[in-house]
C-alpha cells in the first residue's frame, strides 16, 4: 500500500509542477504595456527580466527531475532512505522558490501600484501550484517514513 500511495502522490506533484512550469513559461510573453516605477517610459515585462522568477524556474525543474527519478526508482527497488531525505531537500527547494516568488511579486505589484494583470496572476498561480507540490512532497515524505518503518519491523 505504501508504494502505491507514494507513486500516486509523486504523480500529483509532477502534475502540479508541470502546471506551474507552463504558467511560468507562458508569462514570459510580453504583458500589456504598463507604467513601471512611476516613469513615463512604457516598459513591457516578461518573467526572465527578474532573477527570482528564473530561480523559481530552476526550482521547478529540479523538482520535476527529482520526482521523475524517484518514480522510476520506486517502481524498481521500492522505498529507500533516498526517498526520505530527497523529499526533505526537494520540499525545501520548492518552498523557497515559491516563497521568494510570492514575496517579490507582491512587493513589485505594491511598489508599482499596478492593477492585477495576467502577468502577475500567472506568476501567483504558478507559485501556488509550486506550494501545492511542496505539500504533496511532504505527504510523500510521511508515506516514505511509514513505509520504511514498516520494512524495519
Amino acid at each position: 500500500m505504501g508504494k502505491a500511495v507514494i507513486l500516486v502522490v509523486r504523480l500529483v506533484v509532477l502534475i502540479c509542477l508541470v502546471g506551474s512550469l507552463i504558467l511560468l513559461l507562458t508569462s514570459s510573453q510580453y504583458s500589456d504595456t504598463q507604467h513601471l516605477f512611476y516613469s513615463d517610459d512604457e516598459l513591457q515585462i516578461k518573467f526572465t527580466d527578474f532573477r527570482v522568477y528564473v530561480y523559481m524556474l530552476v526550482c521547478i525543474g529540479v523538482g520535476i527531475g527529482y520526482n521523475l527519478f524517484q518514480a522510476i526508482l520506486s517502481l524498481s527497488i521500492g522505498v529507500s532512505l533516498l526517498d526520505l531525505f530527497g523529499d526533505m531537500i526537494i520540499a525545501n527547494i520548492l518552498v523557497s522558490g515559491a516563497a521568494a516568488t510570492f514575496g517579490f511579486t507582491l512587493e513589485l505589484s505594491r511598489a508599482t501600484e499596478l492593477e492585477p494583470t495576467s502577468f502577475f496572476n500567472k506568476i501567483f498561480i504558478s507559485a501556488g501550484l509550486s506550494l501545492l507540490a511542496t505539500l504533496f512532497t511532504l505527504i510523500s515524505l510521511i508515506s516514505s517514513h511509514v513505509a520504511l518503518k514498516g520494512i524495519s519491523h
Side-chain angles (χ1 to χ4, degrees):
M1 163 131 170
K3 188 176 179 179
V5 170
I6 292 170
L7 286 174
V8 168
V9 170
R10 290 209 188 282
L11 179 65
V12 172
V13 170
L14 279 172
I15 291 169
C16 289
L17 289 176
V18 168
S20 180
L21 180 67
I22 290 169
L23 283 171
L24 189 64
L25 291 176
T26 59
S27 68
S28 69
Q29 300 168 354
Y30 286 103
S31 66
D32 299 334
T33 303
Q34 303 288 336
H35 292 285
L36 291 177
F37 305 112
Y38 307 106
S39 99
D40 290 333
D41 298 330
E42 290 182 355
L43 177 68
Q44 293 181 326
I45 55 176
K46 56 184 178 174
F47 95 96
T48 55
D49 292 336
F50 303 101
R51 288 187 180 155
V52 70
Y53 300 146
V54 175
Y55 173 69
M56 181 161 167
L57 178 69
V58 170
C59 291
I60 292 169
V62 168
I64 289 172
Y66 169 78
N67 277 289
L68 285 173
F69 172 74
Q70 282 297 85
I72 293 167
L73 196 65
S74 293
L75 287 172
S76 61
I77 66 168
V79 180
S80 67
L81 281 177
L82 182 62
D83 288 329
L84 193 65
F85 294 116
D87 285 347
M88 282 187 232
I89 293 168
I90 293 301
N92 284 317
I93 289 171
L94 290 175
V95 79
S96 72
T101 299
F102 267 127
F104 178 77
T105 306
L106 185 62
E107 289 304 313
L108 181 64
S109 63
R110 282 184 186 168
T112 57
E113 294 183 358
L114 293 175
E115 294 298 318
T117 63
S118 67
F119 175 79
F120 289 124
N121 289 339
K122 284 181 182 179
I123 297 291
F124 278 128
I125 294 169
S126 177
L129 284 173
S130 185
L131 281 176
L132 188 62
T134 303
L135 176 69
F136 280 101
T137 300
L138 294 174
I139 292 170
S140 173
L141 172 80
I142 293 167
S143 299
S144 297
H145 176 71
V146 169
L148 283 173
K149 206 170 192 181
I151 290 171
S152 66
H153 279 64

